[in-house]
C-alpha cells in the first residue's frame, strides 16, 4: 500500500506517542517490567525508599496464594514454585508451575484475573517449574484494544501462549487461537512429554519473542534438540531457528563435533533466561551441555555452541560470536545462570559487556560486541578420561584475574562430618573415588565433582550495581560424585534399593554402554561431606576483578535445628537496589534476607512459610510504597507452598 507523506507523518507521530506512553523511563523506572528487571537481566532497581538505615523495619504487607496446594492441582511430580513476578503499567503478572498466569494489584495482592492452560498434571517432569512471564506492547494497536499489551508464558508441556494483559484471554491472532506448539519442527522430536518443556520466560526484542527449552537430562544421545527460535509477536509465525548442534558442514564449528552420530546429538539447549539488547539488536543465549551429560563418546570434540555463550543478531538469527565456557562438557555444567548485559568502567570510560557466571564457579566478563574476554582467560591442562570410548578436552578455560568463585576439588583438609565417626565415613567415601581436582572426568570407579552439578552458580544468576560496579553472586560449594556403570553388569533392582537408601540417582544413557549414577556427598548424619560454608554470597568489583567481600548465605536445618553461618544450597538469585541493599532468598532454611551491598553484612531477614526457590523483585506501587516480593514453595527439600509474599515498610 502506498502512503502519502501526510499519512506517513501521522503514522510516525502515532507510533512515537505510543512508544512514549509504553516505554518512558518515568513510567517503568519504579516497576519491574521483566524477569531480570529489564531485558538485559541486570536485576538492579532504582527504587530507594527501603534503605540500609530502615530495612530492619520491613514487615509483611500482603500475601496471595495461587491455590495450587488444593487436591485438584495435584501433580505426579512435585511442583517447584520458582517464578519472579513482573510489574508493568500498574499490574503484577506471575506464573505457576502449571502455567497458570495471575494478574494482581501490586499494592494489595488482590486478583484481577487468572488464566489456566490446563497442563496435563500427570507429566513426569524432572523440573516441574515455571520462572515467569514476559510482556510485549503492540504499538500498532490503540490503547484499550484487545491484546494491545500481551503477556507471554511458556508451559511445561511446551506451549508458547499469548494473553491479553487486560483480561487474560488468549490473543486469537497469535498461532492457533493464542498458542504455538513448540514440539513441532524440531530436529530431534521428543518421544514423550517429559522430555521437552519450557521453564523460563521468553525474551522480547522488537517484534520478536525468542524462546528456548528445557530438555530432560541424560536419557539418550539423541534427546530432543535444543533449537532456540524466534516467533513473530503478533502472528506467532516462526522467524528464525538457531540449532546449537550445527547441521551445515560449512558452519565454522562443524568440525568440533566428531563421530558418526555427533551431529544427531540432542540438548545443548537454552533452558535459562535469554538476555536481550534491543538497541544493538542482539540476544545472548546461555547454552547447556549436549546429551547425554556424562558420556561424550558419541560426540567427541569440543562441541562448540554447547555449554557456551552465543550472541545472535535478533533480526536475522545470524550468529555473531560465541564463547565456550566448558569444552566437551562431561559434568552437566550447563550455563544455568542468565547472562547479564551491563556496562563496566574500563580505561576511563565504559564498555558494554556480558556477565556469565557458571556452574564451574567462574565469572566470565565478555565484550558484548565481540565476545572477547575483558579480564584475561587462559587454557589450562585438566585431567584426562580413563573411560573406554571417551576423550575429554585436554584443557579448559580459566580466568586469570577474577579468582575462582568458591571451592574447586576436594582434599583431605576439606572433608567434613558432624562427628569424628561421621567425618571418617565421609573420608572413606571420598578415598574410594577418583579425585584429581576440577574437571576430573566421570569414571567407572566413581569421580568426585566439585563444583557439583548444582554449581557453582546455578540458575539464580547475578545482580549488578552500576553505581559501584559490583556484581553479586550466590555460589554453591558442595561436592558430589558421579560414576559410569557398564550396562552389562548392572542390577536395576539393586539400583532402586540403593537409590532410596543412599540417595543415588540412576539414569540409563541410551545410545551409550553406560548407566550414570550420582549423588551429593552427604555424611551418614545428613551433613555435606565438605566443610562449610556450603554456599556463599560473593561481591566482585568489576573495576579490578577483585573480590570485595564474601559471606555465608543461609543456614542449615539439621534434625530440626537451625544452624546459622554455614550456608545452604542456593537455588535462587539476588537483586540489588539503589537503597544499597541486596535481597536474596533461595536457601533451604526458608528465609528472605537483606544484605548491605558495601560490606555483605546481613541487615534483615524474614522467616517464610516454605523455602523460596526463587529470585525476589521490588517496585514502587501507586500508593507510593516500595514492596519486595518473593514466591515461597520451592518443592522437594524447600517444602511445598503456593505463597506470593510482599514486604514493605510500615505506613
Amino acid at each position: 500500500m502506498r502512503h502519502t507523506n501526510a499519512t506517513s507523518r501521522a503514522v510516525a507521530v502515532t507510533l512515537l506517542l505510543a512508544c512514549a506512553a509504553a516505554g518512558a523511563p518515568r513510567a517503568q523506572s519504579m516497576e519491574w517490567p521483566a524477569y531480570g528487571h529489564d531485558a538485559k537481566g541486570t536485576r538492579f532497581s532504582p527504587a530507594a525508599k527501603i534503605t540500609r538505615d530502615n530495612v530492619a523495619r520491613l514487615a509483611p504487607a500482603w500475601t496471595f496464594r495461587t491455590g495450587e496446594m488444593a487436591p485438584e492441582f495435584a501433580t505426579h511430580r512435585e511442583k517447584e514454585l520458582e517464578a519472579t513476578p513482573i510489574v508493568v503499567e500498574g499490574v503484577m503478572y506471575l506464573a505457576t508451575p502449571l502455567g497458570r498466569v495471575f494478574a494482581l494489584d501490586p499494592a494489595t495482592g488482590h486478583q484481577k484475573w487468572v488464566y489456566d492452560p490446563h497442563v496435563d498434571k500427570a507429566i513426569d517432569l524432572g523440573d516441574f517449574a515455571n520462572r515467569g512471564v514476559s510482556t510485549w506492547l503492540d504499538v500498532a494497536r490503540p490503547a484499550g484494544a484487545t491484546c494491545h499489551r500481551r503477556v507471554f508464558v511458556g508451559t511445561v508441556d511446551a506451549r508458547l501462549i499469548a494473553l491479553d494483559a487486560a483480561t487474560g484471554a488468549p490473543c486469537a491472532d497469535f498461532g492457533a487461537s493464542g498458542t504455538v506448539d513448540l514440539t513441532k519442527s524440531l530436529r530431534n522430536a521428543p518421544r514423550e512429554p517429559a522430555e521437552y518443556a519450557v521453564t523460563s520466560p521468553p525474551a522480547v526484542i522488537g517484534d520478536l519473542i525468542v524462546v528456548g527449552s528445557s530438555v530432560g537430562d541424560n536419557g539418550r544421545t539423541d534427546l530432543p534438540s535444543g533449537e532456540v527460535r524466534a516467533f513473530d509477536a503478533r502472528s506467532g509465525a516462526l522467524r528464525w531457528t538457531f540449532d546449537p548442534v550445527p547441521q551445515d558442514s560449512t558452519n565454522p564449528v562443524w568440525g568440533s563435533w566428531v563421530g558418526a552420530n555427533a551431529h544427531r546429538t540432542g540438548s545443548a539447549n537454552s533452558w535459562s533466561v535469554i538476555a536481550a539488547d534491543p538497541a544493538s539488536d542482539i540476544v545472548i543465549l546461555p547454552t547447556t551441555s549436549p546429551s547425554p551429560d556424562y558420556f561424550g563418546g558419541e560426540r567427541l570434540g569440543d562441541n562448540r555452541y554447547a555449554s557456551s555463550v552465543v550472541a545472535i543478531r535478533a533480526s536475522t538469527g545470524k550468529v555473531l560470536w560465541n564463547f565456550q565456557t566448558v569444552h566437551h562438557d562431561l559434568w552437566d555444567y550447563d550455563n544455568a545462570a542468565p547472562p547479564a548485559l551491563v556496562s563496566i568502567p574500563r580505561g576511563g570510560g565504559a564498555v558494554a559487556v556480558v556477565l556469565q557466571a557458571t556452574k564451574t564457579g567462574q565469572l566470565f566478563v565478555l565484550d558484548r560486541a565481540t565476545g572477547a574476554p575483558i579480564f584475561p582467560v587462559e587454557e589450562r591442562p585438566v585431567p584426562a578420561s580413563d573411560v573406554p570410548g571417551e576423550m575429554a578436552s585436554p584443557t579448559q578455560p580459566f580466568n586469570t584475574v577474577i579468582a575462582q568463585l568458591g571451592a574447586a576439588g576436594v582434599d583431605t583438609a576439606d572433608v567434613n562430618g558432624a562427628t569424628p565417626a561421621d567425618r571418617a565415613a565421609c573420608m572413606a567415601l571420598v578415598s574410594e573415588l577418583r579425585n584429581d581436582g576440577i574437571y576430573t572426568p566421570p569414571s567407572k570407579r566413581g569421580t568426585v565433582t566439585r563444583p557439583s552439578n548444582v554449581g557453582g552458580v546455578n540458575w539464580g544468576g547475578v545482580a549488578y550495581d552500576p553505581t559501584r560496579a559490583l556484581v553479586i553472586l550466590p555460589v554453591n560449594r558442595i561436592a558430589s560424585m558421579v560414576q559410569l556403570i557398564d550396562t552389562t553388569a548392572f542390577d536395576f533392582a539393586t539400583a532402586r534399593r540403593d537409590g532410596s537408601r543412599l540417595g543415588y540417582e540412576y539414569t540409563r544413557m541410551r545410545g551409550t554402554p553406560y548407566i550414570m549414577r550420582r549423588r551429593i556427598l552427604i555424611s551418614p548424619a545428613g551433613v555435606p561431606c565438605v566443610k562449610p560454608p556450603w554456599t556463599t554470597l560473593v561481591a566482585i568489583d568489576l573495576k579490578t576483578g577483585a573480590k570485595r567481600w564474601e559471606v555465608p548465605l543461609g543456614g542449615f536445618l539439621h534434625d530440626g535445628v537451625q544452624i546459622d553461618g554455614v550456608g545452604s544450597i542456593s537455588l535462587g538469585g539476588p537483586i540489588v537496589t539503589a537503597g544499597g541493599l541486596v535481597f536474596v532468598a533461595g536457601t533451604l532454611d526458608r528465609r528472605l534476607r537483606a544484605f548491605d551491598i558495601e560490606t555483605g553484612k546481613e541487615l534483615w531477614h524474614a522467616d517464610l512459610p516454605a523455602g523460596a526457590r526463587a529470585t525476589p523483585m521490588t517496585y514502587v506501587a501507586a500508593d507510593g510504597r516500595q514492596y519486595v516480593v518473593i514466591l515461597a514453595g520451592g518443592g522437594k527439600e524447600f517444602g511445598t507452598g503456593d505463597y506470593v509474599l510482599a514486604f514493605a515498610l510500615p505506613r
Side-chain angles (χ1 to χ4, degrees):
M1 179 179 178
R2 187 173 179 268
H3 295 281
T4 64
N5 288 338
T7 301
S8 298
R9 285 194 297 271
V11 170
V13 170
T14 300
L15 291 176
L16 285 170
L17 290 173
C19 289
R26 179 174 296 177
Q28 289 192 345
S29 63
M30 297 303 169
E31 295 189 328
W32 192 275
Y35 175 85
H37 180 266
D38 46 55
K40 295 179 179 180
T42 62
R43 292 186 181 164
F44 174 81
S45 170
K49 291 176 178 286
I50 303 170
T51 68
R52 289 173 287 183
D53 294 330
N54 64 23
V55 68
R57 299 169 54 216
L58 210 57
W62 56 258
T63 298
F64 176 81
R65 301 193 66 175
T66 69
E68 288 193 7
M69 296 289 289
E72 60 265 32
F73 294 111
T75 51
H76 178 73
R77 184 67 70 97
E78 189 172 0
K79 299 186 290 291
E80 299 157 5
L81 192 62
E82 296 182 350
T84 297
I86 62 174
V87 173
V88 181
E89 295 179 339
V91 181
M92 175 181 288
Y93 303 97
L94 61 97
T96 71
L98 283 169
R100 296 165 71 230
V101 179
F102 287 87
L104 307 178
D105 183 327
T108 64
H110 292 162
Q111 179 178 314
K112 293 177 176 289
W113 55 255
V114 61
Y115 168 79
D116 190 345
H118 300 290
V119 166
D120 183 357
K121 301 174 186 65
I123 295 176
D124 190 18
L125 291 161
D127 292 308
F128 209 127
N130 186 303
R131 297 184 189 93
V133 300
S134 303
T135 73
W136 173 75
L137 189 71
D138 188 347
V139 297
R141 298 189 184 196
T146 300
C147 294
H148 171 63
R149 180 174 289 280
R150 301 183 178 204
V151 176
F152 287 92
V153 62
T155 62
V156 293
D157 58 2
R159 287 178 282 163
L160 178 62
I161 301 172
L163 305 174
D164 182 355
T167 66
C171 297
D173 56 350
F174 182 81
S177 302
T179 298
V180 170
D181 183 348
L182 297 174
T183 66
K184 303 299 184 184
S185 304
L186 291 173
R187 174 173 53 83
N188 291 355
R191 297 177 186 173
E192 55 187 65
E195 286 189 332
Y196 191 83
V198 178
T199 55
S200 292
V204 178
I205 184 166
D207 290 345
L208 295 178
I209 308 300
V210 183
V211 63
S213 59
S214 178
V215 177
D217 283 344
N218 222 37
R220 51 189 168 93
T221 57
D222 57 348
L223 277 168
S225 43
E227 289 103 319
V228 174
R229 289 169 287 180
F231 295 93
D232 186 284
R234 292 187 181 88
S235 68
L238 180 66
R239 295 274 286 269
W240 53 256
T241 299
F242 165 72
D243 192 334
V245 181
Q247 300 300 298
D248 182 349
S249 61
T250 64
N251 190 303
V253 306
W254 169 272
S256 68
W257 298 78
V258 179
N261 296 318
H263 295 93
R264 302 188 187 104
T265 300
S267 297
N269 48 303
S270 290
W271 61 260
S272 188
V273 179
I274 295 166
D277 182 354
S280 300
D281 189 29
I282 294 173
V283 289
I284 304 294
L285 314 180
T287 67
T288 67
S289 56
S291 63
D293 289 335
Y294 294 101
F295 179 75
E298 296 298 315
R299 52 168 177 86
L300 297 174
D302 278 354
N303 309 143
R304 297 281 170 170
Y305 294 153
S307 298
S308 297
V309 183
V310 184
I312 303 283
R313 177 70 66 201
S315 56
T316 65
K318 178 184 177 181
V319 175
L320 300 176
W321 55 260
N322 70 99
F323 176 88
Q324 191 167 53
T325 56
V326 180
H327 309 319
H328 190 65
D329 194 343
L330 300 173
W331 302 271
D332 191 18
Y333 281 157
D334 296 350
N335 283 308
L341 313 186
V342 306
S343 293
I344 66 171
R346 200 74 177 172
V351 60
V353 301
V354 178
L355 306 181
Q356 184 64 57
T358 70
K359 283 188 181 181
T360 63
Q362 297 201 67
L363 174 64
F364 293 107
V365 182
L366 310 174
D367 187 289
R368 201 181 308 168
T370 66
I374 298 296
F375 293 95
V377 172
E378 67 181 13
E379 293 287 328
R380 297 177 186 166
V382 291
S385 176
D386 58 6
V387 172
E390 183 59 271
M391 187 176 295
S393 174
T395 65
Q396 293 290 351
F398 288 84
N399 279 296
T400 62
V401 174
I402 301 176
Q404 175 80 25
L405 305 172
V410 177
D411 60 28
T412 302
D414 291 323
V415 178
N416 178 64
T419 65
D422 204 41
R423 182 179 184 276
C426 282
M427 187 71 76
L429 177 60
V430 170
S431 65
E432 294 174 356
L433 304 171
R434 186 178 176 192
N435 183 21
D436 298 328
I438 190 171
Y439 294 114
T440 303
S443 64
K444 297 171 74 172
R445 170 186 171 187
T447 293
V448 172
T449 57
R450 192 186 192 201
S452 73
N453 59 293
V454 176
V457 183
N458 207 297
W459 59 263
V462 310
Y464 182 67
D465 184 335
T467 62
R468 298 173 175 86
L470 286 180
V471 59
I472 310 298
L473 317 91
V475 182
N476 292 304
R477 300 164 59 93
I478 59 173
S480 65
M481 63 82 64
V482 62
Q483 184 177 12
L484 302 183
I485 304 172
D486 288 308
T487 56
T488 55
F490 190 70
D491 180 349
F492 276 98
T494 300
R496 283 194 294 268
R497 185 178 68 245
D498 285 351
S500 60
R501 181 171 60 88
L502 300 175
Y504 285 108
E505 176 187 355
Y506 290 86
T507 304
R508 171 71 176 93
M509 299 187 294
R510 296 186 296 277
T512 81
Y514 300 107
I515 286 112
M516 180 278 296
R517 177 168 81 162
R518 72 181 180 186
R519 62 169 288 195
I520 300 296
L521 291 180
I522 299 290
S523 77
V527 301
C529 277
V530 292
K531 289 181 178 179
W534 297 311
T535 294
T536 58
L537 193 65
V538 181
I540 301 294
D541 187 336
L542 290 187
K543 295 187 292 292
T544 63
K547 184 186 298 181
R548 176 75 67 85
W549 49 258
E550 181 174 17
V551 296
L553 177 58
F556 190 73
L557 285 169
H558 184 59
D559 291 335
V561 178
Q562 171 81 15
I563 306 171
D564 291 318
V566 295
S568 162
I569 294 174
S570 175
L571 290 174
I575 65 170
V576 175
T577 74
L581 295 167
V582 178
F583 288 98
V584 65
T587 54
L588 292 172
D589 63 357
R590 305 185 180 188
R591 286 179 174 174
L592 172 65
R593 292 176 165 86
F595 294 85
D596 185 329
I597 195 168
E598 292 283 358
T599 65
K601 179 182 178 181
E602 183 176 325
L603 301 177
W604 169 88
H605 74 257
D607 292 318
L608 306 175
R613 184 171 169 162
T615 300
M617 49 83 75
T618 189
Y619 55 92
V620 176
D623 62 1
R625 301 174 80 192
Q626 181 181 351
Y627 294 83
V628 178
V629 172
I630 187 71
L631 271 62
K636 299 178 181 175
E637 299 88 349
F638 287 80
T640 57
D642 61 354
Y643 301 91
V644 184
L645 303 161
F647 298 85
L649 296 173
R651 291 187 183 277

